[in-house]
Amino acid sequence: MLSAGPTPRVPLDTWEFVITTETGAEYRWSWSELMALPQETPQVDIHCVTRWSKLGTTWQGVSLDTLLDGVDTDADYVMAHSYGGYTTNLPLEDLRGGRAWVAHTFEGEELPGEHGGPARLLVPHLYFWKSAKWVRGLRLMTTDEPGFWETAGYHDYGDPWREQRYQGD
Amino acid sequence: MTEMSFLDGNMLDGPLRELFAVDVSGATGRCENCGVVGPMGTLRVYSHAPGLVGRCPSCAEVMLRLVRSPSWARLDLRGTTFLQVPVPLDQPHPRPL
Ligand SMILES: [Zn+2]
């Protein structure tokens, strides 16, 4: 698994997930509130930028459709923020339509810290650096901005089928 | 599972030799975040990532990011205030007459 820094330790009693809209409105979930939402069990293939893929992985988490339901926004882009400071940008559209989750369980076990636990973003149709480990929130944006790796030259979208690894790909 | 480990900043010399004529580990850098000044060779380098990430040994903020594509290398030093490279004077310094 890829990591750009030390593994942050996030106690569940202080963990929270926050969606901040372009107007500054905030929608917050504590750990127990997240676990009380409808849970899904996506079975997906994941694609790492280092060219490995892992097929048929099973996760459990909350769909972004559920979290974004009722969030009032005209934004087109999202900056995902993580505990530990990592960021990555995605189109908001790619988090809708049953294609993205806040995942807390991997192969029936709680997600270990090294793999992004307590919870990570799971966006399997994009390269895996977009599936931010240790996710703590989403900032909704009207214009696209590069995140941690995108600033350093990685692709703003990151479609593995078009091999969009680097800017210009 | 064990804690994700980091590498010693001295490993930066190889990957950065394409960009610089000097060994960067011997250069002195200042952390933009906490202000600590020290050899770049003391950075903590995380290589289990799409690129290399060099973090300040004092505050752990990111001081350096290096991404190598098949056709270019990009060095992002926004967490580094300055990089001071030892350049011995082997020629008389040009001075105003
Ligand atoms: Zn520092």
Side-chain angles (χ1 to χ4, degrees):
Chain A
M1 286 288 170
L2 303 181
S3 192
T7 301
R9 301 291 170 196
V10 193
L12 294 184
D13 56 349
T14 56
W15 184 93
E16 62 174 2
F17 183 77
V18 185
I19 296 178
T20 309
T21 72
E22 69 276 22
T23 62
E26 292 184 340
Y27 300 79
R28 291 173 182 272
W29 292 267
S30 67
W31 186 258
S32 55
E33 286 166 340
L34 183 85
M35 301 308 272
L37 292 172
Q39 304 290 314
E40 296 187 0
T41 311
Q43 201 170 50
V44 296
D45 301 339
I46 54 182
H47 307 280
C48 181
V49 73
T50 56
R51 293 170 194 271
W52 62 250
S53 291
K54 207 167 179 180
L55 308 181
T57 59
T58 305
W59 303 75
Q60 190 181 332
V62 175
S63 170
L64 260 298
D65 290 314
T66 303
L67 294 163
L68 288 165
D69 186 39
V71 172
D72 185 25
T73 181
D74 290 318
D76 290 321
Y77 299 96
V78 169
M79 187 71 80
H81 288 260
S82 295
Y83 290 98
Y86 182 74
T87 56
T88 190
N89 54 312
L90 311 96
L92 179 55
E93 179 69 27
D94 285 78
L95 298 185
R96 299 190 194 269
R99 296 189 293 166
W101 296 266
V102 172
H104 51 73
T105 299
F106 177 67
E107 303 297 357
E109 308 274 347
E110 71 180 40
L111 193 59
E114 300 76 28
H115 291 240
R120 73 179 299 160
L121 205 56
L122 176 64
V123 192
H125 70 281
L126 299 178
Y127 273 127
F128 217 44
W129 87 82
K130 297 288 185 180
S131 292
K133 291 176 170 185
W134 313 301
V135 69
R136 71 179 302 173
L138 305 176
R139 187 164 59 83
L140 308 186
M141 313 183 290
T142 49
T143 54
D144 202 7
E145 289 174 27
F148 184 88
W149 283 121
E150 294 82 6
T151 308
Y154 273 88
H155 202 278
D156 278 321
Y157 186 61
D159 182 348
W161 303 108
R162 286 185 277 169
E163 301 207 29
Q164 291 173 336
R165 289 187 177 83
Y166 306 103
Q167 278 168 32
D169 282 353
Chain B
M1 215 166 281
T2 56
E3 174 63 55
M4 189 72 67
S5 60
F6 54 83
L7 302 171
D8 187 284
N10 289 304
M11 68 78 67
L12 291 169
D13 288 340
L16 287 174
R17 196 158 289 140
E18 297 179 288
L19 281 82
F20 292 105
V22 297
D23 281 345
V24 168
S25 67
T28 299
R30 180 187 185 276
C31 172
E32 179 81 25
N33 183 56
C34 74
V36 76
V37 175
M40 295 296 277
T42 63
L43 295 194
R44 296 174 174 183
V45 177
Y46 290 81
S47 63
H48 300 282
L52 290 179
V53 181
R55 288 176 178 268
C56 172
S58 176
C59 74
E61 271 299 311
V62 177
M63 288 179 64
L64 172 153
R65 279 173 281 182
L66 178 68
V67 168
R68 182 69 167 94
S69 92
S71 49
W72 47 256
R74 185 189 295 194
L75 179 65
D76 187 318
L77 284 171
R78 75 188 58 201
T80 302
T81 314
F82 65 71
L83 204 57
Q84 179 179 306
V85 177
V87 259
L89 217 51
D90 17 308
Q91 291 175 22
H93 195 63
R95 289 167 200 279
L97 292 172

